[in-house]
Amino acid sequence: MAKVAIKSENITSFGGIYHIMDVFSKLGFEKLTESVLGKRGSSGKAFSHGSILGSLFFSYLCGGDCLGDINALTRQFKQRPDTLLPSADTVGRGLKELTEKNIVYKSETSGRSYSFNTAEKLNTLLLRMMGLIKAGSHVDLDFDHQFIPAHKFDAKYSYKQDSGYFPGWASIGGIIVGGENRDGNTNVRFHQEDTLRRIMDRVTSELGVVIERFRADCGSFSKEIIQTVESRCNTFYIRAANCDSRCEDFRRLKEWKSVEVGYERCDVTSISMDNLIEGKSYRLVVQRSPLKDKEGKQRTDVFGVIYTYRCILTNNWTSTEKDIITFYNERGASEKNFDIQNNDFGWSHLPFSFMAENMVFMMVTAMLKNFYLYLVRHISDKVKPLKKTSRLKAFILHFVSVPAKWVRTGRRNVLNLYTNKTYYAEVFIE
């Protein structure tokens, strides 16, 4: 066995985090959080909201996956001159202070009540921290719900056969731009039009953009939701529900076109839908694919080939069926947000006992994800192993994880990095 010598020098293994801390300061997050959330504490000695967000951000960007990991890292953060960051307990208290009261909606049909948490201030801060979307641009907005298992005090049992929450999230090109939390047993269509109205109006007013196209799955297929969306975007694409009930009507259709979508052949056609909203006519793009058995052979019955039908409702009458289906299928990239938030930024380990408090955590880590996108997009130009689409693990491996030590020399503080990777000089010189 090789001889081991333990040295007590103040060397950190996460030297890249000091550049990230500089970027956080230069972007003015401290002043921004104070302008939106107000000043924290009356004595002037309390940690600011910006410091609380910073402590959480830097912890996750070093590989932490829960609030408690902050305590294992703050000593290394404090090696940076003139840096003082709060502990995990202070961060937890600070996040709870940002909690907003739930809104309770009562169902007219069942008489049951369901809680929503809109997190208005944090949604506004989320958009003002952006800097990733150019004002005046025309954007594509995606919306989806995700069930988050959470065995918390107020978590409700869902049809997903577990207790948890059912938040809805909006994104633009992978950038999270809004969200609201809901009880886990809430139907996804229940008051969704109110959620979308709040999110879409906030996006257009805060970012100064035009919502060109809107995409959502069949959980947004209802009269009220479609009316809300159509008045706030130019074109929408929503997966139509209950396609099976229309199979008989689809079988009677004669004008099918064969196209290739996603490397597979299928038949497509379009029909008018005039009975959804009075005085309105929409286009229903219908896609049919033959149902196959385990051996890949087409299944048949007395009527011939058995087809699986999928439909998209839209107000776009000019694009081809293939273009509409292809564009709609690209929303799978936005669904990747949930995987990233769950596995990289803590959504699978919600820290608090109540929905409103956990909504604060989810909103703050959504801001963290957007901040991470900003970092990786800028750093990847110089750090060749990284791509703009790299996940957090690769970012930590190729940039954050580098031995470093602060030294005082020539009456100034100097950060020594112990590495043969030359790209650090280019990044830290900025």
Side-chain angles (χ1 to χ4, degrees):
M1 180 178 174
K3 187 177 180 180
V4 175
I6 305 297
K7 302 294 184 181
S8 60
E9 296 182 53
N10 287 329
I11 296 179
T12 177
S13 54
F14 300 106
I17 199 64
Y18 298 123
H19 174 73
I20 294 168
M21 295 167 82
D22 287 342
V23 173
F24 186 87
S25 298
K26 288 176 183 176
L27 291 175
F29 285 161
E30 289 275 356
K31 290 182 179 178
L32 179 59
T33 53
E34 190 170 302
S35 68
V36 177
L37 304 176
K39 197 168 183 178
R40 184 172 180 267
S42 56
S43 65
K45 296 181 180 179
F47 283 105
S48 67
H49 293 300
S51 295
I52 286 170
L53 264 61
S55 195
L56 181 71
F57 283 18
F58 306 146
S59 172
Y60 274 90
L61 293 173
C62 287
D65 64 358
C66 65
L67 289 186
D69 289 339
I70 292 173
N71 290 339
L73 292 162
T74 48
R75 184 177 297 177
Q76 300 185 60
F77 300 156
K78 291 174 184 176
Q79 291 179 24
R80 179 176 177 255
D82 303 318
T83 297
L84 188 61
L85 290 171
S87 66
D89 289 342
T90 305
V91 170
R93 286 196 303 272
L95 294 180
K96 287 182 179 181
E97 291 168 6
L98 299 174
T99 302
E100 296 181 28
K101 289 185 178 179
N102 294 334
I103 297 174
V104 179
Y105 292 110
K106 189 173 183 179
S107 172
E108 295 178 359
T109 54
S110 67
R112 293 182 177 180
S113 295
Y114 301 93
S115 295
F116 283 54
N117 192 271
T118 59
E120 293 281 353
K121 284 188 176 181
L122 289 173
N123 267 292
T124 300
L125 179 60
L126 174 72
L127 293 172
R128 293 185 183 177
M129 288 179 77
M130 200 64 61
L132 294 167
I133 300 171
K134 187 178 179 181
S137 58
H138 289 233
V139 299
D140 298 331
L141 184 73
D142 294 304
F143 183 79
D144 202 0
H145 288 89
Q146 186 210 22
F147 178 72
I148 298 182
H151 296 175
K152 304 298 181 179
F153 184 81
D154 62 350
K156 300 293 193 300
Y157 193 78
S158 166
Y159 75 92
K160 297 284 190 178
Q161 298 183 346
D162 203 351
S163 297
Y165 307 122
F166 221 142
W169 295 94
S171 62
I172 297 174
I175 303 163
I176 301 175
V177 295
E180 293 189 3
N181 209 351
R182 304 142 49 95
D183 280 334
N185 61 344
T186 311
N187 185 293
V188 291
R189 294 192 187 94
F190 184 68
H191 280 272
Q192 187 188 135
E193 65 275 11
D194 293 320
T195 294
L196 286 169
R197 171 180 51 78
R198 287 186 286 262
I199 289 176
M200 296 176 81
D201 288 348
R202 200 184 295 114
V203 164
T204 52
S205 63
E206 291 290 341
L207 297 183
V209 298
V210 175
I211 301 176
E212 183 65 33
R213 298 181 291 188
F214 174 89
R215 290 181 294 201
D217 63 13
C218 58
S220 299
F221 186 75
S222 79
K223 174 182 174 181
E224 295 77 14
I225 296 169
I226 290 168
Q227 288 175 318
T228 299
V229 166
E230 187 177 22
S231 65
R232 288 167 171 79
C233 69
N234 291 333
T235 55
F236 66 84
Y237 306 81
I238 296 175
R239 176 71 70 190
N242 303 321
C243 291
D244 290 341
S245 64
R246 302 188 185 98
C247 284
E248 195 60 38
D249 297 332
F250 295 155
R251 286 196 189 102
R252 298 193 189 101
L253 298 176
K254 302 297 183 183
E255 297 182 5
W256 293 92
K257 290 177 282 187
S258 178
V259 298
E260 184 177 299
V261 178
Y263 305 106
E264 291 188 6
R265 301 298 301 184
C266 62
D267 299 325
V268 297
T269 190
S270 294
I271 58 175
S272 299
M273 179 174 277
D274 306 321
N275 58 354
L276 184 62
I277 298 174
E278 187 176 351
K280 290 278 190 177
S281 180
Y282 297 110
R283 179 184 183 185
L284 191 68
V285 176
V286 186
Q287 174 186 358
R288 72 177 188 184
S289 303
L291 191 63
K292 297 180 180 180
D293 58 23
K294 294 180 180 179
E295 297 177 355
K297 296 180 180 179
Q298 293 183 358
R299 295 179 59 181
T300 59
D301 59 12
V302 293
F303 300 104
V305 177
I306 302 174
Y307 290 100
T308 299
Y309 296 93
R310 305 183 77 191
C311 309
I312 299 168
L313 187 75
T314 181
N315 58 350
N316 179 349
W317 292 89
T318 57
S319 299
T320 65
E321 288 88 355
K322 178 179 178 178
D323 287 343
I324 289 173
I325 294 168
T326 300
F327 172 71
Y328 179 84
N329 290 344
E330 288 171 355
R331 71 181 290 273
S334 71
E335 293 175 349
K336 190 179 179 182
N337 275 332
F338 297 139
D339 175 58
I340 293 172
Q341 293 303 120
N342 288 335
N343 294 297
D344 293 355
F345 300 118
W347 283 12
S348 59
H349 301 96
L350 298 179
F352 303 123
S353 299
F354 298 96
M355 181 176 74
E357 297 169 352
N358 284 316
M359 184 55 186
V360 173
F361 178 80
M362 285 191 281
M363 287 299 305
V364 169
T365 46
M367 298 174 202
L368 167 57
K369 195 259 185 170
N370 291 344
F371 176 56
Y372 169 73
L373 285 179
Y374 175 88
L375 288 171
V376 77
R377 288 181 182 184
H378 284 74
I379 291 175
S380 61
D381 292 335
K382 297 179 176 68
V383 181
K384 296 307 177 185
L386 289 178
K387 301 176 182 177
K388 288 180 170 61
T389 55
S390 291
R391 291 285 291 265
L392 180 60
K393 181 180 177 181
F395 182 76
I396 294 171
L397 177 65
H398 294 295
F399 182 75
V400 178
S401 184
V402 56
K405 181 182 179 181
W406 285 96
V407 296
R408 183 80 177 171
T409 179
R411 290 189 293 182
R412 64 174 181 168
N413 297 302
V414 176
L415 178 65
N416 288 339
L417 299 179
Y418 302 97
T419 179
N420 59 0
K421 297 174 181 176
T422 57
Y423 54 68
Y424 281 104
E426 294 183 61
V427 175
F428 274 77
I429 254 174
E430 291 180 343

